[in-house]
Amino acid sequence: MFSEARNDLTSMRICTNYSRNLAVVMSLNKSMHPRNRYKDKPPDFAYLASKYPEFQEHVHTNLSGRAVVNFKEPEAVRALTCTLLKEDFGLSIEIPLERLIPTVPLRLNYIHWVEDLIDGQKQPRRGIDIGTGASCIYPLLGASMNGWFFLATEVDDICFDYATRNVEQNHLSDLVKVVKVPQKTLLMDALKEETEIVYDFCMCNPPFFANQLEAKGVNSRNARRPPPSSVNTGGVTEIMAEGGELEFVKRIIHDSLQLKKRLRWYSCMLGKKCSLAPLKEELRKQGVPKVTHTEFCQGRTMRWALAWSFYDDVIVPSPPSKKRKLDRARKPLSFTLPHVAVKELQVKARALGCTGRHPLEAITTLVEKTLTELRVLHKRVPCREQEQSLLLTAMENTWIHGRQKRREQMRQLRELPRAHQSAAAAATTPSLAQNKHQDATQEPADQQVTDNNAPSVEGAEVTNTAGDVDQERLEKVAGDDVEMTPGCSTTGPMDATSETSSKRATSPGSAEHFVLKCLLNVLHEESDAVIEMNWVEGENKDLMNQLCTFLRNTLLKAVAKSGTE
Ligand code: SAH
């Protein structure tokens, strides 16, 4: 399994950083296609292990009792792929370890994007998969999900044999035809016998590397596995093409210039962003009328997909919006608990039965208690050593309490005669004037607390810190090619955090109607503790501001109380 090497470089990183940040991959992966069944709903490893003995062999229980898979083991990745295909798509496949082992969620993203391109998820459609691989995954998914017909091409003998068998054993031979093609040509060769048929699309996961050095240098998904050349030459063609993906896709473009309307859409996945601009330029130069692209953000490394058409009447899905990129760049909200407060909170947590010695553990326990009281679902997720991370899902805004609402109403009543003057001011001057433990506050207004209803505890300002590091981490955990798999690795159904909440929704998957999802980190800053909140998704960012303020105030109140006790 030199697997996914071509566009899967982060898989390795993901593996290495596994314990650090994988558990929230799925939950945070905003750039997964909205219809991707794994978006927000990672597979339940424990369940899958109980059902599939061959998968169980690769599932271990970690120290915190969670079912995990070691993604450094190609056998484990293969077992997961086969298990998911079986469980979620009813497909039985075999893949040799020395060939690319696809990860299901990424492949699904591309399938769903093709659905968008051809604007017909369920109608019979005809597509071509250039370089189908041993798994034959795109045709198997497309045929079984959507009833699409596929012509699947392959140059490598071993891949061709496996692909053919995988189609047959799933009884999909009526829909999927696997053909062996010569290396030098792509679409032209595959289509030369069929002069009449118009295909709706072609898709391609092209070989990635330009040369073996490039491959060796950057690909090390499985460190113990020798480079592909020493495994076999088939492995080489799988991940390398002369000139890398850029040249490979250029060849498809040139074929398309001859085939033109024989296909409604031509598309390719790209492993490097730098391939996108020259390929778009090439299409522009050639006067191709319809061009679009998308991105599949897979953690730190992203994938891009490019599509073009010679038809004027096709619907062209818009490229990903800049706004989302801006959102991703947003920094977390944070507040600091000074050393003395941390000490007090430790005592408080101990009184509540928290046995952990570590101060961050104590703070996390108190945060969890507050979240439980608020009926905000929360779940610990893997993070850096010396930190705690919680993934929060709020089904409703429970942090604006009746008392605050009443106080706010009273205030409004009192203010009524001069409401016309002060309405604007009221909105911008929350009861947070003082901030004893204030962080840098010169941040954009929308990142600050703007909630009048937040408890009127002094020192409640929440600020947007220069938390790039964690933003980066957030992006990292947002997905990778092993994208959902690690994400699911540690996530069984989300812990129900209180009786009430468990009745409402017991897992992030079932939490369909949430108002807010965010990642809360508790970390050290010298002897102080910092709580950071990273936006994932939800109705609006003010909700996170308010919740952040609420948590801060609750913790500070606890400190104040224990000081007077
Ligand atoms: N589609 C599969 C495999 C992608 S790897 C997946 O997504 O998992 C790229 C595949 O393209 C390899 O199996 C390789 O053997 C095949 N390939 C390389 N050059 C090709 C060509 N000219 N025509 C068809 N397939 C080719």
Side-chain angles (χ1 to χ4, degrees):
M1 187 190 70
F2 202 53
S3 45
E4 301 285 327
R6 33 163 307 290
N7 49 14
D8 225 22
L9 303 181
T10 44
S11 300
M12 199 56 213
R13 273 180 230 135
I14 280 287
C15 296
T16 338
N17 296 332
Y18 171 68
S19 63
R20 202 161 109 186
N21 55 24
L22 298 184
V24 277
V25 164
M26 290 299 288
S27 313
L28 301 185
N29 198 348
K30 277 170 78 174
S31 62
M32 276 209 159
H33 193 284
R35 289 196 298 279
N36 193 315
R37 63 181 298 140
Y38 301 108
K39 184 176 163 64
D40 300 329
K41 194 169 182 276
D44 181 341
F45 282 4
Y47 168 76
L48 292 172
S50 70
K51 190 164 169 187
Y52 298 94
E54 58 286 7
F55 179 58
Q56 188 173 31
E57 282 174 37
H58 304 282
V59 177
H60 313 281
T61 307
N62 73 5
L63 288 177
S64 39
R66 291 185 180 125
V68 295
V69 169
N70 181 0
F71 289 92
K72 289 181 193 167
E73 295 292 337
E75 291 86 353
V77 178
R78 176 172 68 179
L80 179 64
T81 293
C82 293
T83 303
L84 287 179
L85 286 175
K86 182 87 206 140
E87 172 71 11
D88 295 331
F89 301 92
L91 293 165
S92 305
I93 67 157
E94 279 163 40
I95 340 168
L97 283 177
E98 64 274 15
R99 289 295 182 276
L100 194 74
I101 298 190
T103 50
V104 181
L106 179 72
R107 299 305 187 277
L108 265 185
N109 275 339
Y110 192 2
I111 289 274
H112 288 310
W113 191 56
V114 170
E115 289 170 356
D116 295 341
L117 288 171
I118 62 174
D119 186 33
Q121 296 169 43
K122 294 289 168 198
Q123 303 156 39
R125 300 287 190 156
R126 217 168 263 283
I128 302 171
D129 180 25
I130 304 171
T132 201
S135 61
C136 199
I137 188 151
Y138 288 127
L140 292 183
L141 286 174
S144 62
M145 287 163 67
N146 299 331
W148 290 344
F149 290 92
F150 263 97
L151 180 64
T153 74
E154 186 49 65
V155 289
D156 176 71
D157 283 326
I158 295 177
C159 288
F160 171 76
D161 290 345
Y162 270 88
T164 308
R165 238 175 305 142
N166 284 332
V167 171
E168 280 165 7
Q169 75 187 30
N170 286 289
H171 313 292
L172 287 168
S173 308
D174 288 346
L175 294 179
V176 182
K177 183 173 160 195
V178 186
V179 293
K180 180 96 197 321
V181 293
Q183 179 81 55
K184 60 183 190 319
T185 50
L186 294 158
L187 282 168
M188 292 297 286
D189 242 39
L191 291 184
K192 68 173 184 254
E193 281 165 27
E194 300 167 341
T195 46
E196 298 303 312
I197 302 169
V198 169
Y199 283 85
D200 294 284
F201 64 90
C202 74
M203 57 198 302
C204 177
N205 223 358
F208 185 55
F209 299 113
N211 56 52
Q212 291 207 29
L213 266 186
E214 198 183 350
K216 278 184 193 162
V218 274
N219 172 62
S220 55
R221 182 178 182 142
N222 175 8
R224 285 178 298 157
R225 185 166 292 280
S229 53
S230 60
V231 177
N232 61 55
T233 49
V236 175
T237 50
E238 202 170 32
I239 58 146
M240 289 197 301
E242 220 174 304
E245 68 177 8
L246 192 61
E247 286 312 310
F248 198 87
V249 178
K250 271 191 186 163
R251 284 165 54 205
I252 298 180
I253 292 178
H254 288 131
D255 274 8
S256 79
L257 292 170
Q258 297 192 51
L259 293 164
K260 290 220 163 120
K261 293 195 172 182
R262 286 287 305 281
L263 280 82
R264 282 181 74 79
W265 276 108
Y266 298 83
S267 79
C268 271
M269 181 114 116
L270 302 170
K272 304 185 209 171
K273 187 176 188 181
C274 60
S275 302
L276 192 61
L279 290 170
K280 282 176 113 178
E281 175 56 17
E282 182 69 16
L283 290 165
R284 196 197 56 79
K285 257 187 1 210
Q286 302 292 348
V288 179
K290 304 278 180 186
V291 178
T292 188
H293 76 274
T294 191
E295 62 185 34
F296 306 126
C297 171
Q298 307 292 328
R300 229 175 347 181
T301 302
M302 298 173 67
R303 310 292 154 70
W304 294 264
L306 178 66
W308 64 99
S309 173
F310 296 87
Y311 282 81
D312 289 322
D313 61 340
V314 287
I315 295 164
V316 184
S318 321
S321 75
K322 294 229 166 66
K323 185 181 167 297
R324 223 177 54 197
K325 283 187 189 159
L326 282 175
D327 280 350
R328 275 207 305 273
R330 289 272 162 100
K331 291 170 181 171
L333 296 176
S334 77
F335 61 86
T336 303
L337 294 165
H339 181 63
V340 278
V342 174
K343 285 264 164 249
E344 294 285 357
L345 290 172
Q346 258 186 295
V347 176
K348 190 97 192 160
R350 222 170 290 138
L352 287 170
C354 170
T355 49
R357 288 239 181 107
H358 204 281
L360 295 190
E361 177 59 37
I363 292 168
T364 309
T365 303
L366 294 173
V367 168
E368 285 171 324
K369 178 175 171 285
T370 309
L371 292 171
T372 301
E373 285 164 356
L374 287 173
R375 301 194 310 275
V376 171
L377 298 174
H378 53 274
K379 174 179 173 53
R380 289 201 188 195
V381 293
C383 54
R384 285 180 285 237
E385 257 177 64
Q386 308 283 318
E387 277 185 26
Q388 294 291 349
S389 278
L390 298 172
L391 182 64
L392 275 48
T393 306
M395 315 307 290
E396 57 180 294
N397 183 343
T398 48
W399 44 93
I400 296 184
H401 290 316
R403 191 166 57 87
Q404 295 157 331
K405 281 186 184 145
R406 279 196 303 278
R407 194 191 300 146
E408 176 64 9
Q409 274 166 2
M410 289 299 287
R411 191 186 62 78
Q412 281 176 6
L413 277 177
R414 274 200 316 272
E415 304 265 308
L416 211 52
R418 15 183 204 119
H420 62 282
Q421 300 163 11
S422 55
T428 51
T429 50
S431 51
L432 310 169
Q434 289 259 315
N435 189 355
K436 283 186 204 149
H437 315 293
Q438 197 167 337
D439 304 322
T441 56
Q442 308 308 312
E443 297 290 337
D446 71 332
Q447 292 286 312
Q448 295 197 10
V449 179
T450 53
D451 173 33
N452 279 348
N453 296 323
S456 59
V457 171
E458 56 290 337
E461 191 148 10
V462 176
T463 61
N464 182 343
T465 57
D468 284 18
V469 176
D470 213 71
Q471 186 61 36
E472 187 192 303
R473 183 176 148 239
L474 185 67
E475 292 197 11
K476 266 187 274 168
V477 299
D480 199 276
D481 204 8
V482 194
E483 61 279 315
M484 93 308 172
T485 43
C488 25
S489 61
T490 50
T491 41
M494 189 181 217
D495 315 327
T497 54
S498 70
E499 222 189 312
T500 333
S501 60
S502 66
K503 277 180 201 144
R504 285 154 188 271
T506 50
S507 74
S510 65
E512 270 167 18
H513 303 294
F514 56 86
V515 293
L516 171 68
K517 270 188 201 218
C518 57
L519 183 71
L520 181 148
N521 301 318
V522 187
L523 38 127
H524 267 303
E525 211 167 56
E526 297 178 357
S527 56
D528 299 341
V530 173
I531 295 190
E532 277 182 350
M533 288 174 79
N534 290 282
W535 172 259
V536 177
E537 55 188 321
E539 277 178 14
N540 66 64
K541 292 221 170 106
D542 275 348
L543 289 174
M544 188 169 84
N545 283 349
Q546 294 164 7
L547 181 57
C548 194
T549 304
F550 188 96
L551 291 174
R552 176 179 181 144
N553 291 345
T554 308
L555 291 171
L556 291 176
K557 264 190 206 162
V559 175
K561 250 197 194 159
S562 59
T564 55
E565 271 163 9

